Amino acid sequence: MSQLKKPSVVGPLVIGCLVIVAAGASVYAGYQAHDNEKNINQVKGLVIENSNMLKSIQADITYHTSLLKKGGGADLQGSVAEALINIENDKVAEAQANLYKNWDASGESKDGHHMYGNPSARFTLINYSDLECPFCKRFHETPKYLVDSAKNGMVNWVWRHFPLSFHEPMASKAAMMGECVAQQKGSKGFWAFTEYWFTNSAGNGQGFAGSDKIPELFGLNKEQYESCLTDPVIIKKIKDDMQAGNVAGVTGTPATIVIDNETGKTETIVGAQPFAKFVQVIEGMAHPERAQAQETAPPAQK
């Protein structure tokens, strides 16, 4: 007797699973397609939006460019010009501040010469100098440092012009320029000018190409400055300095006469001597007993 076979459920189950998987895959594919389409549409929207923005910017540029080319756009041109002027003015103001910042202790001596330091100082350095002299250029910082470092304002520094013949005509021209800056800006302007000139000039009578910018750089009235350059009063002042130097025995630059205003004693230091030399001379004047003791001391035993 044959046995009846039990109906198999494996086949239907497998088929059912395949149907479910297929359906799931179809649903996932549908969602994915929907998401992709949505993303694509969003990207398209952004592209269109950015494109419109670029077109708007390009239109603005084209419009303003055409105005400038046609001579129109006065407001825009005016704004740009004003901004550029303000930038330039700020640069000039900064440059001027830098020129003057190291010379706050400037003034005039009793005889009307440019002085740096305490007017009541015990010691005065009368410095005969030539603005085209390379040794004067090297020396220029030494008297300033002496004044700045001296205790209780004990030292001041006075300028005397002594342009040398082999540096002419530029040496006298530079001296005139300095005095014409001082005419409008005082002794502080003069000292600032000396520093500026020594920094920029090639020396030995060569000057420098940018000297025509001095009125603008120092904030001067240009017409007044140019008129001053031929002023006989200024010319005489420089010649008087040279004559005083000749009387004092000055033959070259720099030459510095150290004066003890308390005792009246003087000593001339020739050339671009170092800081230590001036300290030695001033200390000797301030404490002559020490100098005498050193002179009379017996020689050291070998």
Side-chain angles (χ1 to χ4, degrees):
M1 184 172 145
S2 61
Q3 294 180 345
L4 294 174
K5 292 183 179 180
K6 294 181 180 180
S8 175
V9 296
V10 175
L13 285 174
V14 171
I15 293 171
C17 289
L18 290 174
V19 170
I20 292 171
V21 170
S26 176
V27 171
Y28 174 76
Y31 278 120
Q32 188 178 38
H34 176 74
D35 288 343
N36 287 341
E37 184 178 357
K38 183 179 179 181
N39 291 336
I40 290 170
N41 289 334
Q42 288 178 344
V43 171
K44 285 181 178 179
L46 289 173
V47 170
I48 293 171
E49 183 179 348
N50 289 336
S51 177
N52 291 336
M53 187 181 299
L54 287 173
K55 288 179 181 178
S56 176
I57 293 171
Q58 288 172 342
D60 286 341
I61 293 172
T62 302
Y63 171 72
H64 289 299
T65 302
S66 65
L67 284 179
L68 291 174
K69 287 181 178 179
K70 293 177 181 178
D75 291 342
L76 178 61
Q77 286 181 316
S79 298
V80 172
E82 183 179 357
L84 292 175
I85 290 171
N86 289 337
I87 291 171
E88 187 63 26
N89 287 341
D90 288 344
K91 288 182 179 179
V92 171
E94 183 179 0
Q96 288 177 357
N98 288 333
L99 283 172
Y100 292 113
K101 69 180 181 180
N102 295 325
W103 301 101
D104 289 338
S106 302
E108 285 191 357
S109 63
K110 293 179 180 179
D111 58 358
H113 285 87
H114 303 298
M115 173 184 286
Y116 179 74
N118 176 17
S120 302
R122 176 175 173 177
F123 298 98
T124 295
L125 310 176
I126 304 291
N127 177 215
Y128 286 90
S129 193
D130 172 354
L131 285 162
E132 280 295 292
C133 165
F135 298 102
C136 299
K137 177 178 181 175
R138 187 174 69 187
F139 174 71
H140 195 60
E141 293 182 359
T142 300
K144 186 177 190 306
Y145 184 68
L146 277 162
V147 173
D148 290 341
S149 61
K151 294 181 180 179
N152 303 317
M154 288 285 286
V155 181
N156 62 39
W157 171 27
V158 175
W159 179 282
R160 298 276 178 90
H161 295 286
F162 203 83
L164 300 173
S165 60
F166 46 86
H167 292 154
E168 296 290 25
M170 185 55 70
S172 289
K173 184 178 180 181
M176 290 291 295
M177 289 179 183
E179 290 297 337
C180 291
V181 171
Q183 189 182 75
Q184 297 186 47
K185 297 297 182 179
S187 286
K188 188 174 183 178
F190 175 80
W191 288 112
F193 172 85
T194 63
E195 182 178 36
Y196 177 77
W197 189 272
F198 278 135
T199 300
N200 290 280
S201 175
N204 289 317
Q206 299 177 73
F208 66 101
S211 60
D212 59 328
K213 302 295 184 183
I214 285 172
E216 178 183 358
L217 182 61
F218 283 83
L220 308 178
N221 179 297
K222 189 173 182 179
E223 290 184 4
Q224 183 180 341
Y225 170 80
E226 290 178 347
S227 175
C228 173
L229 292 175
T230 56
D231 188 338
V233 174
I234 303 298
I235 294 172
K236 183 178 184 302
K237 180 178 182 179
I238 294 170
K239 288 184 176 180
D240 286 347
D241 279 0
M242 295 176 67
Q243 180 61 29
N246 290 330
V247 171
V250 175
T251 58
T253 57
T256 307
I257 302 173
V258 182
I259 302 174
D260 185 340
N261 295 310
E262 189 174 292
T263 65
K265 185 177 180 180
T266 66
E267 184 168 339
T268 300
I269 300 176
V270 178
Q273 298 295 328
F275 174 81
K277 175 64 176 178
F278 285 85
V279 172
Q280 179 187 2
V281 170
I282 291 172
E283 286 288 335
M285 288 181 169
H287 306 285
E289 69 283 356
R290 296 180 186 175
Q292 290 175 358
Q294 290 177 354
E295 290 175 0
T296 58
Q301 297 294 325
K302 293 184 180 180

